[in-house]
mmCIF file of all heavy atoms in Angstrom:
data_model
loop_
_atom_site.group_PDB
_atom_site.id
_atom_site.type_symbol
_atom_site.label_atom_id
_atom_site.label_comp_id
_atom_site.label_asym_id
_atom_site.label_seq_id
_atom_site.Cartn_x
_atom_site.Cartn_y
_atom_site.Cartn_z
ATOM 1 N N ASP A 12 8.154 -23.012 -7.988
ATOM 2 C CA ASP A 12 7.905 -24.438 -7.639
ATOM 3 C C ASP A 12 6.452 -24.876 -7.869
ATOM 4 O O ASP A 12 5.916 -25.766 -7.219
ATOM 5 C CB ASP A 12 8.288 -24.713 -6.177
ATOM 6 C CG ASP A 12 9.809 -24.518 -5.972
ATOM 7 O OD1 ASP A 12 10.576 -24.967 -6.804
ATOM 8 O OD2 ASP A 12 10.178 -23.865 -4.970
ATOM 9 N N VAL A 13 5.766 -24.214 -8.840
ATOM 10 C CA VAL A 13 4.424 -24.631 -9.203
ATOM 11 C C VAL A 13 4.495 -25.292 -10.577
ATOM 12 O O VAL A 13 4.861 -24.639 -11.567
ATOM 13 C CB VAL A 13 3.454 -23.386 -9.295
ATOM 14 C CG1 VAL A 13 2.040 -23.827 -9.734
ATOM 15 C CG2 VAL A 13 3.342 -22.742 -7.899
ATOM 16 N N ALA A 14 4.148 -26.560 -10.574
ATOM 17 C CA ALA A 14 4.264 -27.343 -11.844
ATOM 18 C C ALA A 14 3.025 -27.275 -12.671
ATOM 19 O O ALA A 14 3.057 -27.532 -13.907
ATOM 20 C CB ALA A 14 4.621 -28.802 -11.524
ATOM 21 N N TYR A 15 1.895 -26.923 -12.043
ATOM 22 C CA TYR A 15 0.611 -27.066 -12.735
ATOM 23 C C TYR A 15 -0.376 -26.078 -12.157
ATOM 24 O O TYR A 15 -0.364 -25.837 -10.945
ATOM 25 C CB TYR A 15 0.075 -28.482 -12.511
ATOM 26 C CG TYR A 15 -1.303 -28.735 -13.010
ATOM 27 C CD1 TYR A 15 -1.611 -28.974 -14.377
ATOM 28 C CD2 TYR A 15 -2.409 -28.717 -12.140
ATOM 29 C CE1 TYR A 15 -2.841 -29.201 -14.825
ATOM 30 C CE2 TYR A 15 -3.667 -28.960 -12.604
ATOM 31 C CZ TYR A 15 -3.892 -29.204 -13.923
ATOM 32 O OH TYR A 15 -5.171 -29.444 -14.323
ATOM 33 N N ILE A 16 -1.231 -25.489 -12.984
ATOM 34 C CA ILE A 16 -2.359 -24.611 -12.532
ATOM 35 C C ILE A 16 -3.563 -25.060 -13.245
ATOM 36 O O ILE A 16 -3.591 -25.204 -14.430
ATOM 37 C CB ILE A 16 -2.044 -23.118 -12.632
ATOM 38 C CG1 ILE A 16 -3.114 -22.305 -11.958
ATOM 39 C CG2 ILE A 16 -1.899 -22.731 -14.125
ATOM 40 C CD1 ILE A 16 -2.756 -20.870 -11.748
ATOM 41 N N ALA A 17 -4.641 -25.232 -12.479
ATOM 42 C CA ALA A 17 -6.004 -25.575 -13.053
ATOM 43 C C ALA A 17 -6.895 -24.318 -13.040
ATOM 44 O O ALA A 17 -6.531 -23.275 -12.477
ATOM 45 C CB ALA A 17 -6.632 -26.674 -12.186
ATOM 46 N N SER A 18 -8.068 -24.425 -13.573
ATOM 47 C CA SER A 18 -9.022 -23.294 -13.592
ATOM 48 C C SER A 18 -9.346 -22.825 -12.149
ATOM 49 O O SER A 18 -9.586 -21.628 -11.988
ATOM 50 C CB SER A 18 -10.297 -23.684 -14.353
ATOM 51 O OG SER A 18 -10.895 -24.750 -13.725
ATOM 52 N N SER A 19 -9.367 -23.701 -11.254
ATOM 53 C CA SER A 19 -9.619 -23.301 -9.874
ATOM 54 C C SER A 19 -8.518 -22.382 -9.372
ATOM 55 O O SER A 19 -8.753 -21.445 -8.570
ATOM 56 C CB SER A 19 -9.809 -24.517 -8.961
ATOM 57 O OG SER A 19 -8.688 -25.381 -9.045
ATOM 58 N N GLY A 20 -7.239 -22.637 -9.749
ATOM 59 C CA GLY A 20 -6.188 -21.813 -9.366
ATOM 60 C C GLY A 20 -6.244 -20.471 -10.084
ATOM 61 O O GLY A 20 -5.975 -19.389 -9.467
ATOM 62 N N LEU A 21 -6.674 -20.462 -11.332
ATOM 63 C CA LEU A 21 -6.849 -19.199 -12.053
ATOM 64 C C LEU A 21 -7.938 -18.343 -11.357
ATOM 65 O O LEU A 21 -7.804 -17.086 -11.278
ATOM 66 C CB LEU A 21 -7.227 -19.481 -13.503
ATOM 67 C CG LEU A 21 -6.199 -20.116 -14.419
ATOM 68 C CD1 LEU A 21 -6.737 -20.437 -15.729
ATOM 69 C CD2 LEU A 21 -4.969 -19.240 -14.517
ATOM 70 N N ARG A 22 -8.939 -18.969 -10.907
ATOM 71 C CA ARG A 22 -10.070 -18.270 -10.216
ATOM 72 C C ARG A 22 -9.487 -17.551 -8.993
ATOM 73 O O ARG A 22 -9.829 -16.401 -8.724
ATOM 74 C CB ARG A 22 -11.158 -19.247 -9.864
ATOM 75 C CG ARG A 22 -12.331 -18.503 -9.134
ATOM 76 C CD ARG A 22 -13.360 -19.478 -8.547
ATOM 77 N NE ARG A 22 -12.717 -20.429 -7.593
ATOM 78 C CZ ARG A 22 -12.507 -20.103 -6.330
ATOM 79 N NH1 ARG A 22 -12.672 -18.885 -5.861
ATOM 80 N NH2 ARG A 22 -11.933 -20.941 -5.498
ATOM 81 N N VAL A 23 -8.616 -18.234 -8.226
ATOM 82 C CA VAL A 23 -8.045 -17.651 -7.061
ATOM 83 C C VAL A 23 -7.193 -16.403 -7.425
ATOM 84 O O VAL A 23 -7.284 -15.388 -6.803
ATOM 85 C CB VAL A 23 -7.203 -18.690 -6.220
ATOM 86 C CG1 VAL A 23 -6.441 -18.011 -5.124
ATOM 87 C CG2 VAL A 23 -8.052 -19.796 -5.687
ATOM 88 N N LEU A 24 -6.436 -16.539 -8.468
ATOM 89 C CA LEU A 24 -5.571 -15.463 -8.960
ATOM 90 C C LEU A 24 -6.462 -14.255 -9.346
ATOM 91 O O LEU A 24 -6.163 -13.088 -9.005
ATOM 92 C CB LEU A 24 -4.723 -15.815 -10.107
ATOM 93 C CG LEU A 24 -3.612 -16.826 -9.827
ATOM 94 C CD1 LEU A 24 -2.853 -17.179 -11.101
ATOM 95 C CD2 LEU A 24 -2.655 -16.367 -8.773
ATOM 96 N N LEU A 25 -7.545 -14.530 -10.018
ATOM 97 C CA LEU A 25 -8.456 -13.401 -10.476
ATOM 98 C C LEU A 25 -9.087 -12.789 -9.234
ATOM 99 O O LEU A 25 -9.083 -11.510 -9.157
ATOM 100 C CB LEU A 25 -9.477 -13.968 -11.429
ATOM 101 C CG LEU A 25 -10.458 -12.930 -12.013
ATOM 102 C CD1 LEU A 25 -9.711 -11.897 -12.768
ATOM 103 C CD2 LEU A 25 -11.485 -13.653 -12.866
ATOM 104 N N LYS A 26 -9.565 -13.535 -8.343
ATOM 105 C CA LYS A 26 -10.195 -13.001 -7.137
ATOM 106 C C LYS A 26 -9.194 -12.118 -6.310
ATOM 107 O O LYS A 26 -9.462 -11.062 -5.844
ATOM 108 C CB LYS A 26 -10.745 -14.153 -6.322
ATOM 109 C CG LYS A 26 -11.668 -13.704 -5.223
ATOM 110 C CD LYS A 26 -12.287 -14.966 -4.541
ATOM 111 C CE LYS A 26 -13.177 -14.586 -3.441
ATOM 112 N NZ LYS A 26 -13.844 -15.816 -2.816
ATOM 113 N N LEU A 27 -7.988 -12.617 -6.199
ATOM 114 C CA LEU A 27 -6.954 -11.900 -5.474
ATOM 115 C C LEU A 27 -6.568 -10.624 -6.153
ATOM 116 O O LEU A 27 -6.510 -9.579 -5.547
ATOM 117 C CB LEU A 27 -5.710 -12.860 -5.342
ATOM 118 C CG LEU A 27 -4.522 -12.299 -4.590
ATOM 119 C CD1 LEU A 27 -4.888 -12.084 -3.092
ATOM 120 C CD2 LEU A 27 -3.322 -13.287 -4.704
ATOM 121 N N ALA A 28 -6.427 -10.631 -7.485
ATOM 122 C CA ALA A 28 -6.088 -9.476 -8.253
ATOM 123 C C ALA A 28 -7.180 -8.424 -8.173
ATOM 124 O O ALA A 28 -6.883 -7.242 -7.967
ATOM 125 C CB ALA A 28 -5.858 -9.818 -9.766
ATOM 126 N N GLN A 29 -8.428 -8.846 -8.191
ATOM 127 C CA GLN A 29 -9.576 -7.920 -8.125
ATOM 128 C C GLN A 29 -9.615 -7.275 -6.775
ATOM 129 O O GLN A 29 -9.820 -6.060 -6.647
ATOM 130 C CB GLN A 29 -10.880 -8.601 -8.371
ATOM 131 C CG GLN A 29 -11.019 -8.972 -9.836
ATOM 132 C CD GLN A 29 -12.295 -9.866 -10.079
ATOM 133 O OE1 GLN A 29 -12.736 -10.632 -9.247
ATOM 134 N NE2 GLN A 29 -12.832 -9.761 -11.304
ATOM 135 N N ARG A 30 -9.375 -8.037 -5.705
ATOM 136 C CA ARG A 30 -9.433 -7.469 -4.357
ATOM 137 C C ARG A 30 -8.254 -6.517 -4.168
ATOM 138 O O ARG A 30 -8.455 -5.408 -3.545
ATOM 139 C CB ARG A 30 -9.438 -8.566 -3.299
ATOM 140 C CG ARG A 30 -9.536 -7.986 -1.893
ATOM 141 C CD ARG A 30 -9.924 -8.937 -0.863
ATOM 142 N NE ARG A 30 -9.662 -8.387 0.436
ATOM 143 C CZ ARG A 30 -9.332 -9.069 1.497
ATOM 144 N NH1 ARG A 30 -9.359 -10.403 1.481
ATOM 145 N NH2 ARG A 30 -9.075 -8.413 2.641
ATOM 146 N N LEU A 31 -7.119 -6.874 -4.581
ATOM 147 C CA LEU A 31 -5.948 -5.982 -4.474
ATOM 148 C C LEU A 31 -6.148 -4.680 -5.185
ATOM 149 O O LEU A 31 -5.857 -3.590 -4.677
ATOM 150 C CB LEU A 31 -4.679 -6.662 -4.984
ATOM 151 C CG LEU A 31 -3.977 -7.622 -3.971
ATOM 152 C CD1 LEU A 31 -3.006 -8.547 -4.698
ATOM 153 C CD2 LEU A 31 -3.285 -6.814 -2.892
ATOM 154 N N LYS A 32 -6.741 -4.732 -6.383
ATOM 155 C CA LYS A 32 -6.999 -3.512 -7.170
ATOM 156 C C LYS A 32 -7.991 -2.650 -6.406
ATOM 157 O O LYS A 32 -7.816 -1.410 -6.316
ATOM 158 C CB LYS A 32 -7.542 -3.911 -8.541
ATOM 159 C CG LYS A 32 -7.711 -2.720 -9.422
ATOM 160 C CD LYS A 32 -8.112 -3.143 -10.829
ATOM 161 C CE LYS A 32 -8.249 -1.869 -11.743
ATOM 162 N NZ LYS A 32 -8.679 -2.236 -13.091
ATOM 163 N N THR A 33 -9.028 -3.250 -5.870
ATOM 164 C CA THR A 33 -10.034 -2.488 -5.088
ATOM 165 C C THR A 33 -9.446 -1.794 -3.904
ATOM 166 O O THR A 33 -9.797 -0.657 -3.583
ATOM 167 C CB THR A 33 -11.127 -3.492 -4.637
ATOM 168 O OG1 THR A 33 -11.797 -4.083 -5.764
ATOM 169 C CG2 THR A 33 -12.203 -2.723 -3.847
ATOM 170 N N GLU A 34 -8.457 -2.422 -3.269
ATOM 171 C CA GLU A 34 -7.821 -1.917 -2.092
ATOM 172 C C GLU A 34 -6.591 -1.100 -2.417
ATOM 173 O O GLU A 34 -5.806 -0.750 -1.487
ATOM 174 C CB GLU A 34 -7.463 -3.033 -1.102
ATOM 175 C CG GLU A 34 -8.771 -3.732 -0.638
ATOM 176 C CD GLU A 34 -8.528 -4.850 0.335
ATOM 177 O OE1 GLU A 34 -7.345 -5.002 0.832
ATOM 178 O OE2 GLU A 34 -9.473 -5.598 0.598
ATOM 179 N N GLY A 35 -6.404 -0.763 -3.659
ATOM 180 C CA GLY A 35 -5.259 0.094 -4.012
ATOM 181 C C GLY A 35 -3.878 -0.673 -4.059
ATOM 182 O O GLY A 35 -2.811 0.004 -4.031
ATOM 183 N N GLY A 36 -3.888 -1.942 -4.087
ATOM 184 C CA GLY A 36 -2.702 -2.734 -4.077
ATOM 185 C C GLY A 36 -2.384 -3.263 -5.506
ATOM 186 O O GLY A 36 -2.986 -2.914 -6.463
ATOM 187 N N GLN A 37 -1.334 -4.100 -5.566
ATOM 188 C CA GLN A 37 -0.921 -4.695 -6.827
ATOM 189 C C GLN A 37 -0.526 -6.164 -6.670
ATOM 190 O O GLN A 37 -0.018 -6.519 -5.550
ATOM 191 C CB GLN A 37 0.279 -3.882 -7.387
ATOM 192 C CG GLN A 37 0.003 -2.503 -7.741
ATOM 193 C CD GLN A 37 1.189 -1.775 -8.263
ATOM 194 O OE1 GLN A 37 2.279 -2.038 -7.832
ATOM 195 N NE2 GLN A 37 1.022 -0.889 -9.244
ATOM 196 N N LEU A 38 -0.734 -6.898 -7.706
ATOM 197 C CA LEU A 38 -0.340 -8.297 -7.740
ATOM 198 C C LEU A 38 0.580 -8.504 -8.901
ATOM 199 O O LEU A 38 0.330 -8.041 -10.046
ATOM 200 C CB LEU A 38 -1.584 -9.209 -7.925
ATOM 201 C CG LEU A 38 -1.305 -10.687 -8.048
ATOM 202 C CD1 LEU A 38 -0.648 -11.280 -6.813
ATOM 203 C CD2 LEU A 38 -2.542 -11.435 -8.441
ATOM 204 N N ARG A 39 1.648 -9.203 -8.646
ATOM 205 C CA ARG A 39 2.600 -9.580 -9.739
ATOM 206 C C ARG A 39 2.888 -11.109 -9.536
ATOM 207 O O ARG A 39 2.815 -11.656 -8.450
ATOM 208 C CB ARG A 39 3.972 -8.917 -9.543
ATOM 209 C CG ARG A 39 3.861 -7.383 -9.463
ATOM 210 C CD ARG A 39 4.090 -6.728 -10.801
ATOM 211 N NE ARG A 39 4.184 -5.284 -10.704
ATOM 212 C CZ ARG A 39 3.167 -4.476 -10.883
ATOM 213 N NH1 ARG A 39 2.023 -4.962 -11.145
ATOM 214 N NH2 ARG A 39 3.369 -3.180 -10.835
ATOM 215 N N LEU A 40 3.207 -11.757 -10.667
ATOM 216 C CA LEU A 40 3.602 -13.134 -10.698
ATOM 217 C C LEU A 40 5.016 -13.208 -11.263
ATOM 218 O O LEU A 40 5.385 -12.414 -12.114
ATOM 219 C CB LEU A 40 2.725 -14.000 -11.576
ATOM 220 C CG LEU A 40 1.406 -14.524 -10.996
ATOM 221 C CD1 LEU A 40 0.481 -13.380 -10.574
ATOM 222 C CD2 LEU A 40 0.658 -15.363 -12.068
#
């Protein structure tokens, strides 16, 4: 149900993925 993503949304995804990787987790979309 996400119709649009802007660069600010991409930044959130990148930050989340980096933190998850650091903590031994995983992110999937």
Side-chain angles (χ1 to χ4, degrees):
D12 295 316
V13 176
Y15 173 81
I16 189 166
S18 60
S19 53
L21 293 174
R22 182 191 58 79
V23 172
L24 293 179
L25 183 59
K26 192 171 180 181
L27 183 64
Q29 288 172 330
R30 183 165 165 207
L31 277 163
K32 185 175 181 180
T33 300
E34 296 181 10
Q37 294 180 326
L38 176 65
R39 307 263 188 264
L40 277 58

